[in-house]
Amino acid sequence: MLPHCFFLLLLCTVQLPSPSSALPFEQKGFWDFALDSMDAEMTMEMMRDPEEGSADDLFPHEIPTCPFGCQCHLRVVQCSDLGLTEVPTNIPRDTKFLDLQSNRITEIKENDFKGLTNLYGLSLRNNLISKVHPRAFVPLKHMQKLYFSKNFLTTIPKNLPASLVEIRIHENRIRKVPAGAFAGLNNMNCIEMGANPIQNSGFEPGAFKGLKLNFLRISEARLTGVPKDLPESLHELHLDHNQIQAVELEDLSRYKNLYRLGLGFNHIRNIENGSLSYLHMLRELHLDNNRLTRVPQGLPDMKYLQVVYLHSNNISQVGVNDFCPRGFGMKRTFYNGISLFSNPVNYWEVQPAAFRCVSDRFAIQFGNYKK
């Protein structure tokens, strides 16, 4: 039976859930991959679409085959957990989804995907891959999703399909992203590249040139500052679990379209006054598990900010105007979550008016501070 599909955790709009840093994508089963960003019914309908024709219509002289040990059904070829050391042959040419995760494949060769022009998604997650032929993905003219996490890659694979929308290369050995690494990928929407030993200097100028990303995660890396020159189009930027020590004035000036910013689990002691003023559209801000001694300045001016994670810092006091604007009608939305627990601030010393623009008293979390 195919594994169940996982869905991303949705933010509670009334009571703030137990705050935690946003976790990297974990693909437990192939259907997580196949249906992650597509409606399930639409996907199944696409697979059954009579206008696309059957395998017999496309290749009348070929007998449908399935690689030994794999399962083939509705244009999905599942070959996970088989101990494979290379990409199998005899993959049906009308395959839409190919699952090769959790094997022992060490190399992707030039002709491994020859003829798979209809492939929409490919999972190579959790293998031993350290080498990818520069022309391996050339036949995949329509591929949109590539999952390459948990391998031994040291560089971004070359000549990725121009149709690619999403790539996940979490937990590899990538130290450098050269200029033009994603050239020509005008449809790219999501890049997950956390848990790679990459430093700020590893991003060459122009590394993300031309991309119009909505989502970028570089968590669990070796960053000491907010990277420069990331795509201006970003809606979500996750930089959790790094070594960032401060947010300077111009660090966030490019990212005016951000809805969610993750800076939790860093070493941040200071957020320069005015550095948050560029984030006009921000809804959610993660600054938990840092070394802040005060609530960052500028929060009252963020009209759409709804959730702020500030737990597990060194904040000792909360001012009456730290979160809410002084005048009426300035803030467009009420907060529905503020976490301040595990800070050396006594909740009974905080004036109730400090949270006058919070939607509900249950949306505020205090207490549990341990020296």
Side-chain angles (χ1 to χ4, degrees):
M1 181 180 294
L2 293 174
H4 292 293
C5 176
F6 278 79
F7 293 93
L8 295 176
L9 182 65
L10 296 180
L11 177 66
C12 176
T13 60
V14 178
Q15 183 175 0
L16 184 67
S18 298
S20 61
S21 176
L23 297 176
F25 173 85
E26 282 292 336
Q27 181 191 341
K28 302 299 183 183
F30 184 64
W31 280 104
D32 295 343
F33 165 69
L35 303 179
D36 179 36
S37 296
M38 292 185 61
D39 180 83
E41 295 181 2
M42 183 181 298
T43 305
M44 299 305 292
E45 186 64 27
M46 178 184 68
M47 291 177 177
R48 301 190 188 98
D49 190 353
E51 294 183 2
E52 292 189 3
S54 66
D56 294 335
D57 296 332
L58 293 172
F59 311 102
H61 301 295
E62 296 184 8
I63 300 175
T65 60
C66 188
F68 180 76
C70 303
Q71 299 180 36
C72 301
H73 183 63
L74 293 176
R75 302 185 191 178
V76 173
V77 178
Q78 188 171 18
C79 304
S80 60
D81 299 282
L82 295 177
L84 300 176
T85 57
E86 60 184 9
V87 176
T89 57
N90 299 323
I91 299 171
R93 293 194 178 187
D94 64 340
T95 299
K96 294 263 185 198
F97 300 96
L98 176 58
D99 176 14
L100 293 168
Q101 67 173 318
S102 300
N103 281 291
R104 301 187 62 81
I105 300 170
T106 59
E107 179 182 355
I108 301 299
K109 303 181 181 68
E110 180 177 4
N111 295 318
D112 279 349
F113 306 118
K114 185 177 181 180
L116 301 182
T117 56
N118 293 314
L119 198 66
Y120 171 88
L122 172 62
S123 176
L124 293 164
R125 180 180 178 272
N126 195 25
N127 275 279
L128 307 173
I129 301 168
S130 61
K131 185 178 181 181
V132 179
H133 193 280
R135 295 187 56 81
F137 299 121
V138 171
L140 309 180
K141 303 294 185 182
H142 301 291
M143 187 168 71
Q144 295 189 27
K145 295 193 174 189
L146 175 60
Y147 288 0
F148 233 127
S149 298
K150 294 192 175 182
N151 278 283
F152 297 138
L153 296 178
T154 57
T155 60
I156 307 295
K158 295 182 178 180
N159 298 318
L160 294 170
S163 56
L164 204 60
V165 172
E166 177 180 340
I167 183 171
R168 298 186 182 265
I169 46 178
H170 179 87
E171 201 166 334
N172 276 275
R173 297 179 178 180
I174 298 170
R175 295 178 179 273
K176 183 178 179 181
V177 181
F182 301 106
L185 303 180
N186 298 325
N187 297 311
M188 185 73 78
N189 180 63
C190 169
I191 296 179
E192 155 68 273
M193 57 182 306
N196 281 286
I198 190 166
Q199 301 177 357
N200 288 74
S201 59
F203 295 102
E204 290 188 358
F208 296 94
K209 185 178 181 180
L211 291 183
K212 297 180 180 179
L213 296 181
N214 284 336
F215 180 99
L216 176 61
R217 188 192 299 275
I218 319 176
S219 301
E220 302 173 82
R222 298 179 181 176
L223 303 179
T224 56
V226 176
K228 311 293 184 184
D229 203 28
L230 300 179
E232 297 180 4
S233 57
L234 284 173
H235 288 170
E236 289 195 36
L237 175 59
H238 297 272
L239 302 173
D240 309 275
H241 291 274
N242 276 286
Q243 301 165 24
I244 299 172
Q245 300 183 26
V247 177
E248 299 178 356
L249 183 60
E250 299 297 326
D251 281 351
L252 302 172
S253 61
R254 290 174 56 86
Y255 314 123
K256 297 178 175 64
N257 296 307
L258 279 182
Y259 290 171
R260 181 178 296 167
L261 175 60
L263 288 167
F265 290 90
N266 276 281
H267 304 158
I268 299 173
R269 296 178 181 273
N270 179 53
I271 297 179
E272 191 171 353
N273 188 21
S275 59
L276 298 178
S277 64
Y278 301 101
L279 307 181
H280 306 297
M281 306 300 294
L282 199 69
R283 267 72 167 172
E284 186 172 323
L285 177 61
H286 292 247
L287 284 166
D288 55 287
N289 291 276
N290 277 285
R291 300 173 183 176
L292 296 172
T293 57
R294 57 171 297 173
V295 176
Q297 297 184 34
L299 299 185
D301 299 323
M302 302 176 76
K303 296 181 179 181
Y304 299 100
L305 187 62
Q306 300 175 46
V307 177
V308 185
Y309 290 103
L310 288 168
H311 56 276
S312 300
N313 277 280
N314 298 319
I315 298 171
S316 58
Q317 61 180 2
V318 175
V320 70
N321 295 315
D322 279 352
F323 291 100
C324 303
R326 297 182 181 182
F328 292 97
M330 296 177 62
K331 192 166 177 59
R332 300 286 180 86
T333 57
F334 284 99
Y335 290 101
N336 53 47
I338 296 176
S339 69
L340 282 163
F341 65 88
S342 294
N343 278 289
V345 55
N346 297 320
Y347 66 88
W348 57 84
E349 295 178 354
V350 180
Q351 297 185 39
F355 304 113
R356 59 190 178 275
C357 57
V358 179
S359 60
D360 189 278
R361 64 186 179 90
F362 293 110
I364 306 167
Q365 292 189 352
F366 266 116
N368 300 324
Y369 176 71
K370 295 181 180 180
K371 293 184 179 180

